[in-house]
Amino acid sequence: MEDSLPRSIYLMCLTTAGGVPLFTRSKGIVKQLAFAEIGMLYGVQMFAQNHDVELQSTTTDSRVLWKVFSDSITLIVVVDDDDSEDCHYLNLLQNIFNAMVFFVGLDSLENIKNVERLRKDLKVKFYNN
């Protein structure tokens, strides 16, 4: 069962309105993405959104999946391309958002008034092992 899991995964949580990183997490052997790389991934998603296109995923050597929740939170996951279906990773993103709602509340995520406060609240809940 362990062999079927991706060797590395990188998760980013950003505000949809401004692309401000709320948290990033990684598992496995993965290099930390630079702020410019995170900005580029956010920019690709915003470009698609401004042209009324819903961008879900792209694949090169790795697979990148985007999902926007409540028009306020964008979750981006980068995984090794292991020929898994996108639905598995989209379910993972949905579950991560559901956990965020559980810990800080849907209203706090839909109506972000203080990004630093939300970042602090999420940092307490989502930590690296």
Side-chain angles (χ1 to χ4, degrees), residues 5-109:
L5 297 174
R7 287 180 293 258
S8 61
I9 185 167
Y10 193 88
L11 171 71
M12 293 160 275
C13 178
L14 312 164
T15 62
T16 300
V20 177
L22 296 174
F23 66 85
T24 61
R25 297 293 176 262
S26 61
K27 185 79 172 173
I29 302 169
V30 60
K31 73 176 184 93
Q32 186 74 11
L33 292 179
F35 185 75
E37 292 170 314
I38 294 171
M40 185 241 357
L41 290 172
Y42 172 75
V44 168
Q45 186 267 332
M46 284 304 297
F47 179 81
Q49 186 177 18
N50 288 337
H51 289 84
D52 295 324
V53 175
E54 182 183 353
L55 182 62
Q56 287 189 345
S57 70
T58 187
T59 304
T60 57
D61 293 338
S62 298
R63 181 178 299 170
V64 181
L65 293 98
W66 291 263
K67 185 135 176 91
V68 177
F69 295 92
S70 299
D71 292 327
S72 62
I73 299 291
T74 299
L75 292 175
I76 303 172
V77 67
V78 181
V79 296
D80 293 334
D81 187 20
D82 60 356
D83 296 326
S84 294
E85 296 292 324
D86 285 354
C87 66
H88 300 296
Y89 296 113
L90 293 173
N91 284 337
L92 173 66
L93 294 178
Q94 182 67 55
N95 289 333
I96 291 168
F97 180 74
N98 290 343
M100 292 168 61
V101 169
F102 180 76
F103 285 117
V104 299
L106 184 59
D107 188 57
S108 296
L109 297 172

